[in-house]
């Protein structure tokens, strides 16, 4: 077994791929994507050595200034050391020249040695001090380099954060950032190299002085000799820089591919999609093309270096020849010649140092120039310049987009055109529309993250363009569509160090988002590091991260809450919690909700529909689900999809008749006893049978069967339920059950199948040989019928089964039991009194089209159908608000008796209190109730149904009964 596993060949790339996994023909090949920004390349190639030489002083100044800012001591120390090194080198050189002159002059050797002694002492002291300074330079450089690099990076980050979001969205931004990042990293080199050049220049100065004193021709000759080499070095550096620029996009791509292939986040897709061979293939091709470009540049550089060295060698030979000529022709003494040799060598070394350092300096300068360009560009689009500095006196009440058009930089068309929208605190506005219709863009504009191309975005009366953005965003909480997984602790991830960072505040936000549920599973609770990339950290799932991002937004308590697909990764319970709690959240916030799950937007006060950047519909959920238009077509599509999902059961192909009489009895059919030949042999069952080809509907089936089996024809038959019967072979068969009333005598019927037909009361069923499903069906139907004249007297008994749905056809008026003499039938209404522990009471705002109390607050209420009052209450609470209430938690707390209107039947309004309940109120029937809200009984709304106000007061006073006239 093991060997079979281990000997399996590794997974092969799918057919049609190249040996290295690269798709051969599909799409564009990797080589065609050079990830190259032509405009940057052009700009880079314009940056010649001469322009760079001109810009170098300012770049060096800037880096020195930055070094000064981050570490003054080290900067001053380094400068002193470099200047000191130069001065000491010059001193040493002068002393050497002096020594040689003293030693080769005429006179006694002892005298000459005594003359040379001070010079020798200077040489020794200078060499010692230079060595010490060299050590100091290494130490100071080590201290300054990292700080300076980080400072350059930070400057970039600050500039990027300070720029308009639109600047960051521009194509090529990441490339520019990467190239600039390299510049930031080499910034310390610039300082170091500048110092090297300075030191070499100081040494050269000394050598040059000596040479000029010895003979004025030597110095120009030396410079001429070094020129070819200098030119070759600089050109070679430029070639390498341009190659770096040209391959920067590809190198970034290589980094990205490496990251995706090797890191945790994408590791599952890499394996399951067999992406590995494909991507390594692409990596290889890209790497090859980068290598080729770099090799070419290195070759060119080497050739240039060689040419420079040859030219330099010839020129040096010329200089030495000139020196020989000066000595031979007696234009220079032998003693001076000795000094000149030494000075020439030192000066040549210094000039080479300057050339080398200068070439490196120029190359580093190019990179630092990229960094500088990025900063200039970011500063050119800095928010500080494009926006005002006004601040709002208080958190805004109203956020408005007025006739706004927006086009992203480089985009071929507008993402939004002439859009207007507003959202106030206390209001929920939903934005819906198909992908790419502009919802996210609109939310970015409303938040002030983007400024409109045309039109205006105003918070209260202030335009977002006039506001100081950093202070304005204190009023914004954003749940973005794509959120960032930050490797911080949960606490830091929620607060980012802002607001109330206490556990209590965080836990409240966690409760609202559902993040509290994951806390017990985290190793250190709120202080857990949320990543497994580092030791001790813990990784969250996608949905858990979304809960965390919601927590972040809820914790901010900002006036504007924007949620872009906030529940895309959440499970059903978590999603329900968010939408159920949204109204509560919106109490003091303006909420903009973007979602594709259209049933969820029922919670919104207004829905705005976007199509291709324009608003095409606006209205309430009830209005938009009725109006033809984009919303309704998307909504119906979603409903159909979820409906289809539920219809996994086979369609019913059998139909039965549940026939009952006014005495509450049911007509049952005793089957023939032919075991193995008929279904349920010898048992009492319902009349009915299988669908035949001629039956257009299942009602046709049941009517045909009734006529064929018993010659029965019923006026009214209505669908009652679908039941499931089990075959002997274990298969389950759905049966459509139709209910109908008939008061005839079964003995008079002509039966063609089975043994007999007879009436039975539900209480007699246990004596019969009858399938459990059939007797349960009968009992269920009986429970939904009003008590019949001949039925049992009301009294305590077993709890009735839930009401049938749909209810059986109502009895014709003539069959209704008459009310006892002198009494008047009442209509019974049930009302739910739901009080939270904080004393607030649940009210619903009735729909403007309601017949009773339109646009008025009322408790959750309903009329009793054929069911008892508590069942009615439980059903209404579930159907209207999605609340789960148990019978045992319900108590009757008040009755309002509506009397005094002679023409209308009197009513009894029963107020039940549920001590506990499950779920939060949601708008399940938005055409009835448009909003749920818990109200403080001391500050109930003005537009409240009067008898509800009365009942609430009485309930709170503990009074069980009141009477009233009809509600207005
Ligand atoms: N940063 C960007 N740069 C350029 N174009 C963008 C950018 N963001 C969005 N767009 C373009 O703007 C249009 C609207 O995009 P937006 O993200 O606002 O749509 P949406 O309605 O939120 O879509 P979805 O439902 O897919 O989230 C699209 O055509 C998109 O390509």
């Amino acid at each position: 077994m093991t060997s079979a596993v281990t000997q399996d060949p590794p997974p092969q790339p799918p057919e049609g791929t190249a040996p290295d996994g690269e798709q051969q023909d599909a799409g564009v090949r990797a080589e065609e994507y050079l990830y190259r920004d032509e405009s940057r390349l052009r700009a880079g190639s314009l940056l010649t050595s001469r322009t760079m030489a001109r810009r170098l002083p300012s770049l060096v100044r800037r880096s020195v200034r930055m070094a000064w800012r981050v570490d003054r001591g080290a900067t001053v120390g380094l400068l002193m050391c470099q200047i000191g090194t130069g001065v000491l080198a010059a001193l040493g050189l002068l002393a050497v020249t002096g020594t040689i002159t003293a030693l080769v002059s005429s006179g006694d050797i002892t005298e000459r040695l005594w003359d040379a002694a001070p010079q020798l002492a200077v040489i020794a002291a200078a060499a010692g001090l230079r060595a010490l300074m060299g050590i100091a330079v290494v130490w100071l450089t080590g201290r300054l380099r990292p700080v300076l690099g980080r400072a350059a990076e930070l400057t970039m980050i600050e500039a990027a954060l300070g720029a308009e979001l639109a600047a960051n969205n521009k194509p090529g931004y990441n490339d520019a950032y990467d190239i600039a990042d390299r510049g930031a990293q080499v910034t310390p080199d610039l300082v170091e190299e500048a110092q090297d050049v300075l030191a070499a220049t100081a040494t050269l100065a000394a050598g040059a002085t000596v040479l000029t004193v010895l003979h004025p021709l030597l110095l120009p000759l030396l410079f001429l000799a070094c020129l070819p080499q200098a030119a070759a070095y600089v050109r070679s550096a430029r070639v390498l820089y341009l190659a770096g620029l040209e391959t920067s996009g590809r190198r970034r791509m290589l980094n990205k591919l490496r990251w995706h292939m090797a890191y945790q986040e994408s590791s599952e897709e890499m394996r399951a999609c067999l992406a590995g061979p494909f991507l390594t293939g692409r990596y290889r091709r890209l790497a090859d093309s980068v290598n080729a470009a770099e090799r070419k540049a290195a070759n060119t550089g080497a050739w240039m270096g060689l040419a420079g060295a040859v030219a330099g060698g010839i020129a040096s030979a010329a200089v030495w020849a000139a020196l020989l000529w000066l000595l031979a022709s007696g234009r220079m003494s032998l003693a001076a010649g000795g000094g000149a040799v030494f000075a020439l060598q030192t000066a040549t070394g210094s000039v080479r140092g300057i050339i080398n350092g200068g070439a490196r300096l120029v190359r580093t300068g190019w990179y630092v120039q990229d960094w500088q360009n990025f900063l200039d560009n970011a500063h050119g689009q800095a928010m500080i310049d494009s926006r005002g500095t006004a601040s709002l006196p208080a958190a805004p009440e109203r956020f408005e987009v007025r006739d706004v058009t927006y086009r992203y930089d480089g985009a071929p068309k507008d993402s939004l055109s002439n859009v207007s929208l507003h959202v106030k605190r206390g209001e929920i506005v939903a934005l819906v529309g198909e992908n790419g219709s502009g919802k996210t863009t609109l939310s970015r504009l409303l938040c002030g993250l983007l400024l409109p191309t045309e039109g205006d975005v105003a918070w209260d009366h202030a335009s977002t363009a006039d506001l100081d953005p950093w202070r304005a965003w204190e009023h914004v909480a954003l749940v973005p569509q794509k959120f960032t997984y930050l490797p911080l602790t949960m606490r830091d991830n929620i607060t980012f160090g802002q607001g109330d960072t206490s556990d209590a505040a965080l836990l409240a936000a966690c409760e609202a988002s559902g993040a509290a549920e994951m806390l017990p599973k985290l190793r250190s609770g709120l202080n857990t590091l949320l990543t497994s990339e580092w030791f001790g950290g813990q990784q969250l799932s996608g949905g858990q991260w979304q809960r965390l991002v919601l927590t972040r937004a809820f914790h901010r308590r900002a006036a504007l809450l924007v949620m872009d697909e906030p529940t895309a990764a959440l499970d059903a319970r978590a999603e329900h919690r968010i939408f159920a709690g949204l109204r509560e959240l919106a109490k003091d916030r303006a909420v903009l909700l973007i979602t594709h799950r259209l049933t969820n937007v029922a919670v919104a006060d207004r829905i705005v529909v976007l199509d291709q950047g324009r608003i095409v519909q606006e209205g309430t959920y009830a209005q938009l689900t009725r109006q033809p238009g984009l919303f309704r077509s998307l909504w119906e599509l979603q409903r159909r999809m979820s409906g289809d999902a539920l219809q996994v059961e086979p369609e019913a192909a059998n139909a039965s008749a549940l026939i009952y009489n006014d005495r509450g009895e049911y007509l049952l059919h005793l089957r023939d006893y032919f075991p193995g030949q008929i279904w349920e042999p010898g048992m009492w069952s319902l009349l009915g049978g299988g669908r035949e080809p001629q039956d257009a509907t299942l009602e046709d089936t049941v009517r045909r069967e009734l006529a064929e089996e018993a010659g029965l024809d019923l006026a009214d038959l209505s669908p009652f339920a679908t039941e499931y019967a089990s075959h002997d072979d274990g298969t389950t068969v759905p049966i459509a059950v139709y209910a109908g009333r008939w008061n005839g005598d079964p003995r008079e019927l002509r039966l063609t199948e089975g043994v007999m037909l007879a009436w039975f009361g539900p209480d007699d069923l246990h004596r019969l040989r009858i399938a459990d499903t059939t007797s349960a069906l009968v009992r269920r139907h009986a429970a939904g019928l009003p008590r019949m004249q001949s039925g049992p007297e009301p009294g305590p008994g077993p709890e009735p089964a839930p009401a049938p749905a749909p209810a059986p056809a109502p009895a014709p008026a003539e069959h209704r039991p008459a009310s006892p003499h002198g009494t008047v039938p009442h209509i019974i209404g049930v009302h739910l009194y739901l009080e939270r522990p904080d004393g607030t009471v649940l009210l619903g705002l009735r729909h403007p089209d309601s017949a009773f109390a339109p646009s008025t607050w009322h408790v959750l209420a309903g009329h009793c159908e054929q069911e008892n009052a508590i069942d009615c209450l439980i059903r209404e609470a579930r159907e209207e608000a999605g609340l789960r209430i148990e019978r045992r938690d319900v108590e009757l707390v008040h009755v309002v008796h509506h009397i005094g209107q002679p023409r209308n039947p009197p009513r009894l309004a029963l107020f039940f209190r549920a001590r506990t309940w499950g779920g939060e109120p949601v708008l399940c029937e938005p055409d009835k109730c448009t909003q749920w809200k818990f109200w403080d009984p001391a500050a109930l709304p003005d537009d409240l149904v009067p008898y509800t106000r009365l009942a609430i007061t009485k309930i709170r006073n503990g009074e069980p009964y009141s009477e009233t006239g009809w509600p207005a």
Side-chain angles (χ1 to χ4, degrees):
M1 193 66 195
T2 318
S3 63
V5 172
T6 50
Q7 282 169 20
D8 273 352
Q12 293 301 310
E15 268 185 47
T17 57
D20 60 3
E22 182 80 53
Q23 195 83 29
Q24 277 297 324
D25 299 312
V28 187
R29 292 178 61 88
E31 288 86 341
E32 292 173 39
Y33 288 120
L34 289 176
Y35 306 102
R36 190 165 66 176
D37 182 352
E38 295 295 340
S39 60
R40 190 175 307 286
L41 260 179
R42 268 196 305 280
S45 58
L46 288 178
L47 206 59
T48 60
S49 318
R50 200 172 311 155
T51 47
M52 182 37 72
R54 271 206 306 273
R55 284 185 205 172
L56 258 182
S58 82
L59 284 176
V60 172
R61 267 202 307 278
R62 187 183 174 119
S63 334
V64 171
R65 264 206 306 275
M66 199 162 23
W68 173 257
R69 256 206 321 274
V70 296
D71 193 339
R72 286 179 189 199
T75 312
V76 172
L78 267 175
L79 277 174
M80 304 291 286
C81 284
Q82 297 290 23
I83 294 169
T85 308
V87 171
L88 288 172
L91 273 178
L93 183 62
L94 287 172
V96 168
T97 318
T99 309
I100 293 172
T101 314
L103 287 177
V104 297
S105 62
S106 54
D108 180 53
I109 184 68
T110 317
E111 262 177 40
R112 277 186 274 158
L113 280 174
W114 273 114
D115 284 349
Q119 314 276 10
L120 285 170
V122 170
I123 292 170
L129 277 174
R130 275 185 72 179
L132 278 179
M133 283 187 175
I135 293 168
V137 165
V138 171
W139 168 60
L140 289 170
T141 311
R143 183 172 129 178
L144 188 61
R145 267 196 78 89
V147 204
L148 194 53
R150 296 277 168 276
E153 279 167 17
L154 259 177
T155 316
M156 258 176 80
I157 295 168
E158 279 163 5
L161 280 173
E164 286 291 346
L165 180 67
N168 294 23
N169 280 341
K170 274 189 181 169
Y173 170 84
N174 285 339
D175 235 18
Y177 188 90
D178 262 27
I179 293 171
D181 196 42
R182 186 164 182 183
Q185 282 163 21
V186 299
T187 307
D189 293 352
L190 197 70
V191 180
E192 236 176 288
E193 286 157 3
Q195 286 177 351
D196 287 349
V197 171
L198 264 179
T201 312
T203 319
L204 176 67
T209 317
V210 174
L211 278 179
T212 313
V213 170
L214 293 174
H215 200 285
L217 193 65
L218 286 175
L219 191 63
L221 267 180
L222 178 68
F223 274 119
L224 276 177
C226 293
L227 260 184
Q229 208 164 3
Y233 272 36
V234 172
R235 288 182 79 87
S236 151
R238 185 160 183 271
V239 166
L240 292 176
Y241 164 76
L242 286 178
L245 202 62
E246 202 220 321
T247 54
S248 74
R250 274 173 284 172
R251 278 185 284 111
R252 195 158 65 81
M253 187 63 182
L254 289 175
N255 282 343
K256 268 256 144 87
L257 286 177
R258 241 188 350 259
W259 193 89
H260 282 298
M261 286 190 284
Y263 275 76
Q264 206 177 32
E265 255 173 46
S266 29
S267 50
E268 52 193 300
E269 258 174 308
M270 291 300 108
R271 284 165 178 74
C273 303
L274 291 181
F278 174 83
L279 293 179
T280 44
R282 178 145 299 188
Y283 187 92
R284 225 169 271 137
R285 281 168 199 278
L286 273 174
D288 286 349
S289 79
V290 171
N291 292 345
E294 287 178 346
R295 203 169 34 239
K296 191 171 156 209
N299 290 347
T300 315
W303 278 116
M304 285 177 172
L306 183 66
V310 170
I314 294 168
S316 293
V319 173
W320 290 111
L323 182 63
L324 281 178
W325 173 72
L326 287 174
L327 285 171
S329 62
R331 288 181 165 82
M332 188 186 278
S333 69
L334 199 59
V341 168
F342 191 77
L344 207 54
Q345 249 181 344
T346 310
T348 309
S350 304
V351 172
R352 292 240 164 87
I354 293 174
I355 291 169
N356 238 326
R360 279 190 291 125
L361 189 65
V362 168
R363 185 174 163 193
T364 308
W366 276 313
Y367 291 127
V368 176
Q369 181 66 52
D370 288 329
W371 170 75
Q372 178 71 58
N373 287 346
F374 179 86
L375 293 183
D376 291 347
N377 194 31
H379 288 146
Q381 303 190 54
M383 288 183 285
I384 203 160
D385 298 328
S386 50
R387 304 187 184 212
T389 53
S391 59
L392 293 157
E397 290 292 328
R398 184 184 162 98
F399 301 83
E400 186 168 10
V401 166
R402 296 184 196 132
D403 206 13
V404 152
T405 295
Y406 189 80
R407 179 179 297 208
Y408 286 98
D409 208 327
K413 61 194 273 268
D414 294 338
S415 290
L416 289 172
S417 311
N418 306 104
V419 170
S420 296
L421 167 147
H422 72 270
V423 51
K424 296 184 300 211
R425 283 219 260 167
E427 200 178 34
I428 302 174
V429 172
L431 257 187
V432 302
E434 290 170 286
N435 292 136
S437 54
K439 303 179 293 296
T440 304
T441 307
L442 183 51
S443 72
R444 287 176 185 148
L445 285 157
L446 192 75
C447 289
L449 286 167
L450 294 175
L451 294 178
T453 315
E454 282 170 33
D456 188 27
V457 179
W459 291 6
D460 287 345
H461 296 293
S463 165
T464 48
D466 297 334
L467 293 173
D468 171 351
W470 302 109
R471 290 166 74 180
W473 290 327
E474 284 169 8
H475 303 298
V476 174
L478 174 69
V479 180
Q481 199 176 26
K482 279 190 242 160
F483 39 83
T484 321
Y485 305 105
L486 278 163
L488 302 173
T489 62
M490 180 152 172
R491 183 187 302 277
D492 290 344
N493 252 307
I494 294 171
T495 63
F496 289 140
Q498 295 161 59
D500 183 353
T501 52
S502 68
D503 281 8
L506 265 71
L507 290 176
C510 286
E511 280 296 336
S513 68
E517 284 170 18
M518 65 202 200
L519 274 173
K521 295 179 212 141
L522 294 178
R523 217 169 278 152
S524 315
L526 287 166
N527 298 321
T528 310
L529 177 66
L530 298 183
T531 173
S532 55
E533 281 181 44
W534 279 271
F535 296 103
Q538 224 173 312
Q539 187 60 277
L540 296 185
S541 72
Q544 287 173 327
W545 266 112
Q546 188 150 41
R547 291 180 190 211
L548 188 138
V549 176
L550 283 160
T551 315
R552 192 184 286 163
F554 297 165
H555 174 260
R556 287 181 68 76
R557 307 211 60 80
L560 175 64
L561 171 62
V562 173
M563 304 205 287
D564 197 347
E565 285 294 340
T567 57
L570 296 190
D571 61 50
R573 206 187 301 277
E575 179 173 24
H576 177 258
R577 179 202 302 267
I578 296 300
F579 283 100
L582 204 53
R583 181 53 63 187
E584 181 66 21
L585 274 170
K587 261 199 329 207
D588 55 353
R589 292 172 168 101
V591 179
L592 184 74
L593 168 70
I594 300 175
T595 179
H596 289 292
R597 299 197 202 175
L598 298 183
T599 44
N600 283 338
V601 298
V603 70
D605 298 296
R606 246 174 323 116
I607 300 164
V608 175
V609 187
L610 277 177
D611 187 22
Q612 300 192 39
R614 290 178 188 277
I615 293 182
V616 289
Q617 277 185 296
E618 198 167 342
T620 63
Y621 185 75
Q623 288 165 343
L624 294 184
T625 47
R626 285 197 212 116
Q627 271 173 23
L630 180 62
F631 183 87
R632 188 173 155 148
S633 63
L634 296 173
W635 177 75
E636 277 181 347
L637 202 61
Q638 277 188 356
R639 270 168 45 110
R640 218 175 307 140
M641 276 156 53
S642 56
D644 286 347
L646 291 174
Q647 279 174 18
V648 286
E649 304 153 351
E651 206 181 310
N654 289 266
S656 295
L658 188 68
I659 301 172
Y660 59 98
N661 64 19
D662 288 348
R663 293 187 305 278
E665 295 166 330
Y666 288 82
L667 189 66
L668 296 179
H669 179 216
L670 181 62
R671 290 176 178 262
D672 293 310
Y673 187 72
F674 293 137
Q677 292 181 35
I678 63 163
W679 197 11
E680 295 179 343
M683 291 177 77
W684 290 93
S685 62
L686 303 181
L687 284 167
R691 188 172 187 166
E692 299 284 340
Q694 70 271 25
D695 302 334
T697 63
L698 282 165
E699 188 177 332
D700 291 347
T701 304
V702 79
R703 287 190 178 284
R704 182 181 48 70
E705 288 285 341
L706 286 177
E708 283 175 7
E709 288 185 11
L712 252 176
D713 181 16
L714 298 190
D716 283 325
L717 269 177
S718 54
F720 171 61
T722 301
E723 283 301 302
Y724 295 87
S726 297
H727 264 309
D728 294 342
D729 62 5
T731 54
T732 304
V733 184
I735 302 172
V737 181
Y738 287 80
R741 183 188 294 263
W742 182 64
N743 278 307
D745 185 348
R747 285 169 303 185
E748 292 172 4
L749 296 176
R750 192 176 48 80
L751 202 61
T752 58
E753 280 180 28
V755 183
M756 65 179 292
L757 284 165
W759 291 113
F760 293 96
D763 294 341
D764 295 329
L765 299 183
H766 65 282
R767 292 169 24 210
L768 304 180
R769 204 162 172 261
I770 183 169
D772 289 346
T773 47
T774 312
S775 60
L777 190 71
V778 169
R779 286 181 209 283
R780 211 165 86 210
H781 186 270
L785 282 182
R787 294 291 180 203
M788 299 297 165
Q789 284 147 320
S790 59
E793 286 299 314
E799 219 170 79
E814 64 270 22
H815 293 304
R816 284 217 179 103
S819 52
H821 176 70
T823 61
V824 185
H826 279 55
I827 292 173
I828 305 290
V830 293
H831 298 71
L832 179 64
Y833 179 81
L834 216 55
E835 186 183 307
R836 277 186 168 174
D838 64 0
T840 53
V841 176
L842 179 68
L843 296 177
L845 184 61
R846 295 178 63 81
H847 193 275
D849 297 345
S850 295
F852 168 67
S855 304
T856 306
W857 292 90
H858 191 25
V859 286
L860 188 152
H863 285 125
C864 285
E865 295 173 11
Q866 292 182 354
E867 64 201 326
N868 67 51
I870 295 185
D871 282 344
C872 172
L873 181 86
I874 292 172
R875 178 177 56 74
E876 290 285 353
R878 188 184 60 240
E879 289 175 1
E880 257 198 65
L883 295 171
R884 295 183 305 280
I885 296 177
E886 301 287 337
R887 267 186 93 80
R888 61 174 180 272
D889 296 325
V890 174
E891 61 177 333
L892 183 68
V893 284
H894 193 74
V895 178
V896 180
H897 197 174
H898 297 296
I899 48 179
Q901 291 284 327
R903 278 190 299 119
N904 289 326
R907 293 175 179 244
L908 278 174
L910 310 180
F911 281 78
F912 292 96
R913 176 186 197 139
R915 279 184 293 268
T916 58
W917 64 90
E920 286 292 317
V922 283
L923 293 174
C924 301
E925 296 181 335
D927 52 336
K928 286 189 180 167
C929 172
T930 58
Q931 187 178 334
W932 294 117
K933 187 171 172 183
F934 282 88
W935 289 82
D936 180 354
L940 292 171
D942 294 339
D943 45 351
L944 176 64
V945 169
Y947 81 83
T948 306
R949 188 187 297 280
L950 175 79
I952 292 174
T953 313
K954 300 261 179 178
I955 291 168
R956 296 180 69 79
N957 290 341
E959 296 174 46
Y961 177 76
S962 50
E963 292 171 358
T964 168
W966 280 110

